[in-house]
Amino acid sequence: MPAATHPAAHLSATLLLCLPLALPGLALAAEPAIEEIIVTAQKRAQSIEDVPIAISAFTAETLQIAGVEDIRDLTILSPSLILTSTQSETAGTTARIRGVGTTGDNLGLESSVAVFVDGVYRNRNNVALTDLGQVERIEVLRGPQGTLFGKNAVAGLLSITTQGPDTEELRAYTDLSAGDYDYWRMSAGITGPVAGDKLALRLDGSITQRDGFIDEVSTGTEYNDRDGYLLRGQLSSQLTDNLDLRVIADISNRDESCCAAVAYKTGPTSALIGLLGGTVINPARPYDRKMYANTDRGYDQETDEWGVSAELNWDMGDSMTLTSITAYRDWDADRSQDIDFTDADILYRDPGTYGNQFETLTQELRLAGTSGPLDWLVGLYYMDEQLDVNDAVRTGPAYEAFANGLLQAGGAPANSLSLFTGLAPGTVFTDGDGAVSDAFRQDTDGWAIFTHNIWNLDETSRITLGLRYTSEDKDVNAAIASDNVACPLILANNNPLLAPIKPSALSLGCLPLISPLVDGSYSGSREDDEVTGTLGYAHDFSFGWLGYASYGRGFKAGGFNLDRGGLTAGAPATSQLEFDPETVDAWEIGTKGMLLDAVQLNIALFWSEFDDFQLNSFNGLNFVVDNIGGVTSKGVEIEAQARPLEQLTLAGGVVYADTRYDDDVLYDGTAGNPDLRDKRLTNAPLWSTTGSATWEQAVGNDLMGFLHLDFRFNSDMNTGSNLDPNKEQRSYMVWNGRIGFGPDDKRWQLELWGRNLFDREYLQVAIDGPLQGSGSGATSTRTYLGFLGDPRTWGATFRYNF
C-alpha cells in the first residue's frame, strides 16, 4: 500500500516486519512441540510456516475434534471466514473472507471465495456445500489467489484435500452419531493395498438425517432439515517408479426442506394477510422458530451431484514434475418455494419448474521444477461450463385479493384490478398464472496460462513473482414466457379517473417476477481478458521468524444476471443482464514464527481495493446485479497456537476487518435505492474472534480422555444486502463443546458433544417480506423475514477403527 496514501497502515506494517528483530534472547525452555502442517497453497508441498501468505490450515484431527462435517462448520475455526445460507442452500450459500463475498441467490454471479476439492474447482459455494467425508486437510487462504487458482478467488479460497488410499495396510472404520432433533449420521470406509505397493483403493460413505429447526404451526411440518448421503471411491496407482495416478469418483444426494424464514419484524400487511385466511405471527417472535406457510408449496430442494477426477504426477527427472488434473462434474438441483413465506398462498414456485444444473469439464497442466536458485512453475488451465437456470413464479389463488387490498390501503377503490382490466373479480389472476417458464442457458469457455516463481536470493531471502493471463467467453440464451393477461390490459387502460392509481396497479399487475413485458428470446455473448499476478518478498530471520510483504491482483469475471428481473419492461435487451468484471489490488505485510518458543504466531496486515464491485442485491422480489463502484477492505489478522503442556492445546485468532463501500458507489437519491456510501458490507463484522482449548488426559486402564471447547465471536453487523437498519445483528458469541474417551491406540472412541451450548439466538440474514410493506429504517412499514442461526443441539458419537 502506498506510504503517502496510508501512512498509519504503512508504519504499522513496517513495525510488524521488524517485530522479529526484537525477539532474540527471549526463548524459553523447550515446550511440547506444535504439529507441523504441510500445505499446498503455492501448488508445492511446504510447511505452513514457510508460506509467505495469510493462510490457516486444519488437519483431520483438528476437524474431527471440532465436529466439522461441511464447509459451514469451518467458521468456528477460521475468524476471517463467514458462511451464511438464505432462501436455499442449493443456490443461496455465501462464503466471505475479510468481509468480502458474493451475496444472494443468483447463480449468474460467480463466487468471491473459490472452493477447490482435491484440486478441482467447485462452481459456486453452494455446489461445495456437501458432506466432506474423510478429509486430510483444509486450507483457508486469505486475499486474492488468482495467480495459481484462477478468476474467482478475489477474496480468498478454501482448498480441501480428502484422505487418499492407504498403500501400506488394510484399514476400515465406522462412525455412528445420534442427537436431538432426531439427528443421526453414519459413516464408514475401507482402504488398503490390493496389488502390493502398485495399487491401493479407498471407499468412504456417509448418510445423514435430521429434523428441521422451523415448525409450521398449522400442520406440524418441519423445515430446514438435513437428509443426504455421500459416496466416494478412490484409486491410487504407482504406475512406474516415477509415475503415479490418483482417480476419485463421488456421488451425493440431498433431499431436504430448506429454507424457510420466520417473521423477524412485522408490518401492517400482516393484517391484510389475516383477512385472506393467512397468518403472520404478530408480534414477531423469531426465536420461537415457528411460522405459517402453505405446505402445498413448501421449500423442497433436491440436489444430485457426481463427478470424477484423475490426477497424474510424472517425475521427469532433473528436478521437474508434470502434474495433470482432469475432472468432470455434474450438479443438478430442483426446488420449490412458497415465496411469500405465509399460508395465504400469494406467490409460489412449483417443483420441476425451478432448478439449476452445472456440467463442468476442467483440465489443468502444471510443470514445476528447480533451476539453481529458481523454484519455477508454469501451467495451463481450461474450463468448459454449461449452466442451466430454470424458473417460473406463479400467482396463488390469494394474489388478486392481496394486490387489491394493497391498492385499497393506498386509497384505491375495491377490486381495482378488475376496474383496470375489465375482468370479473376473481378472474384477473387465478392459481397458476404468471411466468410459464424462464429458461436461461449460459455456456462458458475459459482458459488461462500462468506462472509462479520463487527466486532464492540467498539462504534467507526470496522473491515471488507470479502472472496469469485469463481469457473467458460466455454465451447466454434465454427464453422467457408468461401467461399474465392482466398486465397488458392495465397498461392499455388510459381512463383519466384511474390515472392516479395506475402506477400502483402496474407495479402489482406487472410485477417483475411475472411481467409479460419482458417475454421473448434473448441471446448474447461477452469476452473478458485479464492479467493478474503477485509480487512478494520474504525473509527468514536467524531466530526462526519469517517476514514478508506482497502485492496481488485478482479478477472475478463479468457475466449475465440470470433473472428476468434484470430486464427493463417495455424495452428489454440482453445488454441489461450484463455486468462487468470485478478486480482487486491487494497489499499484505506479515510475519510468522514462534514467540518465546511457546506460541506459534501469525500476523498479517492487509489492504484490498476492489473496483467495479459486483453487488447482488435482493429488493424483496428479485436479485439484481450491478457494478456499483469501489470497496476497500483493510485490517489486521492475528492467529496463534500454543501447547504449553503436553495435555493442553490452545488455538485462536482475532480479525479486525474494516470492509466498506467507497464514497463513489452508485447512489442517485431515488426512493428504494439504498445509500451504501462509506458503510460496511453485508455480514462484515468489524471484529471476529475464534478460540479453542483441548485437554487430553490419561484416565486409567489404558484409556485417554479429552475435553474440547471452542467459540466464535462476531461484532455488530448488518445482514441485509441493502443495509436497512432493521436488518442489524448485534454482537454475539457461540460456544461448542465435546468430551470423550477411548484406548491409547484409538481403536474406539466415545464422544458427547454440544453445539451452540448456551443457545445463543442470532440472525444469519434478514430480507424484506415480498410485497409486505415499503421503506427502510425508522419509517419502514415492512415485514422482515429472518434466516436464523442454528439453535443448541447435542448428541453422541461412537467411532471404531478396524
Side-chain angles (χ1 to χ4, degrees), residues 285-362:
R285 299 187 299 275
Y287 296 103
D288 287 351
R289 301 180 186 272
K290 298 183 184 298
M291 68 174 300
Y292 287 85
N294 190 314
T295 54
D296 291 335
R297 310 305 184 193
Y299 301 95
D300 296 330
Q301 61 176 30
E302 183 171 6
T303 304
D304 293 291
E305 182 181 10
W306 66 274
V308 61
S309 67
E311 179 177 340
L312 187 70
N313 290 284
W314 178 21
D315 183 353
M316 303 174 66
D318 295 326
S319 301
M320 286 196 303
T321 302
L322 178 67
T323 299
S324 170
I325 302 177
T326 308
Y328 176 82
R329 300 208 62 82
D330 185 288
W331 182 87
D332 189 8
D334 184 47
R335 304 158 59 185
S336 68
Q337 187 182 44
D338 180 8
I339 298 174
D340 53 90
F341 296 89
T342 76
D343 55 344
D345 206 2
I346 299 169
L347 293 166
Y348 65 92
R349 290 174 165 114
D350 263 339
T353 66
Y354 185 36
N356 322 293
Q357 183 179 26
F358 282 104
E359 294 181 56
T360 311
L361 173 68
T362 57

Side-chain angles (χ1 to χ4, degrees), residues 708-782:
H708 173 84
L709 290 171
D710 57 51
F711 73 88
R712 181 184 180 97
F713 168 81
N714 288 330
S715 64
D716 298 353
M717 58 185 172
N718 195 296
T719 68
S721 59
N722 63 354
L723 303 184
D724 183 337
N726 292 295
K727 299 175 182 178
E728 188 83 9
Q729 169 60 51
R730 300 301 303 271
S731 62
Y732 67 93
M733 180 181 288
V734 173
W735 286 84
N736 304 318
R738 188 174 292 254
I739 186 171
F741 67 93
D744 290 340
D745 62 5
K746 297 189 177 180
R747 173 59 59 90
W748 60 266
Q749 191 157 286
L750 179 64
E751 304 168 4
L752 301 176
W753 47 264
R755 295 173 180 266
N756 194 1
L757 291 172
F758 301 106
D759 204 18
R760 184 67 171 90
E761 299 172 342
Y762 63 97
L763 184 67
Q764 286 194 88
V765 173
I767 64 169
D768 303 332
L771 300 178
Q772 297 174 49
S774 61
S776 64
T779 61
S780 173
T781 62
R782 294 187 186 276

